[in-house]
Amino acid sequence: MTLNRHRRALLAGCSGIGVLGLAGFSWSGLTESGRRPELPALVEAPIVRCQQGLATVQLSAAPLQSAIAGNILGYSGSYPGPLLRLREHERVRIKFHNQTTSASNLHFHGLSVTPGGTGDNPWIVVPQGERFHYEFDIPAGNAGLHWYHPHLHGQVGVSAHMQMRGLVGAVLIESTEPDALPPSDDRVVVLHDMAIRDNLVRAPSAGDWIVGLEGARLLVNGVERPKITARKTWLRLRLVNASNARYWRLAPSDGGPMFLIAQDGSLLTGPEEASEIFLPPGARAEVMIPVGGRPDFYLMYRPYARMGVVHTGNLPLIQICSSVTESRVAALPARLSDWPPLDPSAISRRRDIPIALMNICGQPYNSARIDIQAQAGTTEIWTVRNVDLMDHPMHLHTWRFEVISLNGVATNRRARLDTYNLRPGDSAELAIRFDVNRGKSLFHCHIVEHADQGMMAVVEV
Ligand SMILES: [Cu+2]
């Protein structure tokens, strides 16, 4: 890099900083020569690919040596855990070995697979030192970005602490039919934060049990402020929010374009130009960013105020550079996916679901109680009302929903989601088709400290 290019890059960064009003951030990364030190390259988790027919994956949860803190956990020797790259219509066998010092298990967040038996069954408990083989089919309709983490009930704090210590990883399900998107430099990015004290990821304090624990260390695939050097004119970022409680708002520092193409585990019906990506805990988003010939810029982290608390100011999160000088990019297709619109005559039931701290419909979690019993093959509308004073990002296992209205106003937007944030006072209508998968599953808040304390409801189809 020439010094001029450094200056231009820095100016680009500075102009972005000005635009965004960088409260609380000071750039101290310059050396005496005025040069910016090289940022670490974005590290990608090891990829586990499936073979034809049956994918067998060894996944061990165990302590990991790391410079981040003295009590980091990893999956199969990696934090974040390996990217599980699987395909629709295949069967997967995950040989899980719990080598941590407490009970653990796995939840495959976003996968629409059987919730019972050896499937995405969060009632499975794998004691310390023991093994469990998860095995399930991945039906059509699962292509997209998902993730995995522990989902242990009845032992308050165990899941929350294990997740923050590093037990997070991404799952990418490939479609048997290629999507219509132009070639891109394609990266899977796990966003995660850690609260560290005395070189240890700390457990939640009394206040954290209410607000949710956010950590000051913002980690992008386990690294702080990495750099991506894109080798195509388009950069495709597949982003997972694997934080316990942190909300991530991301925006390019140069104010330049990016296009949202997928939310949670599904492509949108068409690309949407976006100035910002909003990721509540548990959510995913995919964006296409034209980078060919574009001066270096940052994907900035922007704070999100919850209960009036802002834990982190604006920060440069990922530096994005391009090795391609060609700035003309292939157009994005107007249509990305299609699925039948909601048929009002198919709605068999409406439910009112008030949510508040540590309870859903007025009751804390009880594994012996079925809170919502739905019929297979039906469509329901749930009016989820946040009657609390804080945000709650609600997550439905096993099935997906579309948000058809928010606070009485039709959304007129089609997206299949599994995680949706409700601000205090929000009332959202969720349309859910129980067209696949039968069994017992969960609807819960994805601030992990809230779920751990019982902000979960049992759904059975
Ligand atoms: Cu919550």
Side-chain angles (χ1 to χ4, degrees):
M1 262 192 188
T2 64
L3 187 59
N4 275 344
R5 185 149 175 232
H6 268 295
R7 283 212 185 95
R8 281 204 306 275
L10 188 61
L11 280 172
C14 287
S15 66
I17 285 162
V19 168
L20 293 166
L22 208 57
F25 169 71
S26 69
W27 181 271
S28 55
L30 291 180
T31 63
E32 277 181 19
S33 67
R35 280 173 174 264
R36 199 170 36 177
E38 237 359 74
L39 296 176
L42 180 86
V43 181
E44 287 181 86
I47 296 173
V48 174
R49 252 174 218 284
C50 61
Q51 306 302 313
Q52 211 64 35
L54 176 72
T56 300
V57 176
Q58 309 274 353
L59 205 62
S60 60
L64 188 70
Q65 289 287 331
S66 169
I68 301 169
N71 60 343
I72 299 296
L73 297 174
Y75 285 116
S76 299
S78 171
Y79 159 69
L83 170 64
L84 309 183
R85 219 175 156 125
L86 309 168
R87 270 192 293 267
E88 286 181 327
H89 303 295
E90 290 193 335
R91 190 166 179 82
V92 64
R93 179 184 294 153
I94 294 164
K95 297 181 169 181
F96 177 62
H97 187 188
N98 177 14
Q99 296 176 294
T100 70
T101 54
S102 58
S104 193
N105 65 1
L106 291 170
H107 165 49
F108 303 94
H109 182 129
L111 283 191
S112 183
V113 301
T114 180
T118 62
D120 182 29
N121 181 348
W123 284 279
I124 288 164
V125 177
V126 186
Q128 170 189 353
E130 295 197 11
R131 298 167 193 266
F132 185 83
H133 292 184
Y134 291 87
E135 186 170 332
F136 50 86
D137 292 315
I138 302 171
N142 271 292
L145 182 62
H146 315 280
W147 64 294
Y148 58 96
H149 60 86
H151 207 300
L152 213 60
H153 313 147
Q155 301 182 46
V156 175
V158 174
S159 268
H161 201 210
M162 284 197 294
Q163 183 175 324
M164 182 163 273
R165 286 169 66 193
L167 290 186
V168 298
V171 181
L172 188 58
I173 308 290
E174 293 172 5
S175 174
T176 45
E177 291 162 28
D179 61 42
L181 287 155
S184 59
D185 194 326
D186 188 335
R187 310 289 182 109
V188 173
V189 175
V190 176
L191 303 169
H192 193 225
D193 61 335
M194 289 186 183
I196 297 168
R197 185 185 293 150
D198 300 330
N199 195 40
L200 294 175
V201 178
R202 68 173 180 85
S205 66
D208 300 322
W209 284 116
I210 296 169
V211 182
L213 179 53
E214 295 189 21
R217 297 286 292 275
L218 271 59
L219 297 151
V220 180
N221 284 358
V223 171
E224 281 173 297
R225 199 182 295 161
K227 175 170 95 171
I228 293 175
T229 304
R231 292 174 185 85
K232 298 253 172 63
T233 52
W234 282 108
L235 174 64
R236 179 176 186 167
L237 291 183
R238 307 187 194 236
L239 302 148
V240 181
N241 181 356
S243 287
N244 281 37
R246 179 178 292 280
Y247 289 62
W248 301 68
R249 295 167 60 215
L250 307 172
S253 59
D254 63 358
M258 63 178 174
F259 300 87
L260 189 66
I261 55 164
Q263 265 186 288
D264 289 351
S266 300
L267 286 168
L268 299 175
T269 52
E272 297 175 1
E273 184 159 5
S275 57
E276 182 183 291
I277 309 159
F278 175 61
L279 284 165
R284 287 88 66 218
E286 294 189 35
V287 282
M288 293 286 282
I289 308 178
V291 290
R294 187 162 164 176
D296 302 353
F297 63 98
Y298 277 97
L299 202 57
M300 300 292 293
Y301 170 88
R302 291 175 172 178
Y304 179 74
R306 302 187 294 122
M307 298 186 76
V309 179
V310 177
H311 296 275
T312 309
N314 289 301
L315 287 169
L317 188 71
I318 306 172
Q319 190 188 25
I320 297 177
C321 311
S322 174
S323 63
V324 181
T325 51
E326 175 59 60
S327 58
R328 280 174 304 175
V329 293
L332 298 176
R335 289 205 76 73
L336 293 169
S337 72
D338 216 351
W339 64 93
L342 187 69
D343 174 6
S345 68
I347 297 164
S348 62
R349 180 145 187 186
R350 289 179 174 269
R351 295 178 199 266
D352 178 49
I353 302 183
I355 59 161
L357 191 57
M358 315 323 171
N359 75 67
I360 294 173
C361 297
Q363 301 195 89
Y365 172 70
N366 179 342
S367 65
R369 188 184 64 228
I370 305 295
D371 297 289
I372 296 167
Q373 183 93 51
Q375 296 299 312
T378 63
T379 297
E380 297 198 355
I381 306 280
W382 295 1
T383 302
V384 183
R385 293 184 294 117
N386 185 349
V387 296
D388 204 1
L389 300 173
M390 70 173 85
D391 289 58
H392 294 289
M394 300 306 292
H395 168 49
L396 180 63
H397 290 212
T398 314
W399 302 278
R400 304 210 176 120
F401 56 81
E402 289 187 55
V403 180
I404 56 173
S405 79
L406 177 62
N407 300 328
V409 180
T411 54
N412 293 320
R413 177 173 186 271
R414 305 207 65 203
R416 280 181 294 200
L417 306 178
D418 54 60
T419 307
Y420 185 71
N421 186 61
L422 288 104
R423 297 198 67 112
D426 274 355
S427 173
E429 282 186 304
L430 276 46
I432 308 154
R433 269 181 249 239
F434 294 103
D435 51 354
V436 290
N437 300 315
R438 295 182 184 207
K440 207 168 75 161
S441 199
L442 288 167
F443 178 59
H444 67 90
C445 179
H446 218 289
I447 289 179
V448 186
E449 290 77 15
H450 294 177
D452 250 12
Q453 290 178 90
M455 195 172 170
M456 300 199 289
V458 178
V459 183
E460 189 178 56
V461 173

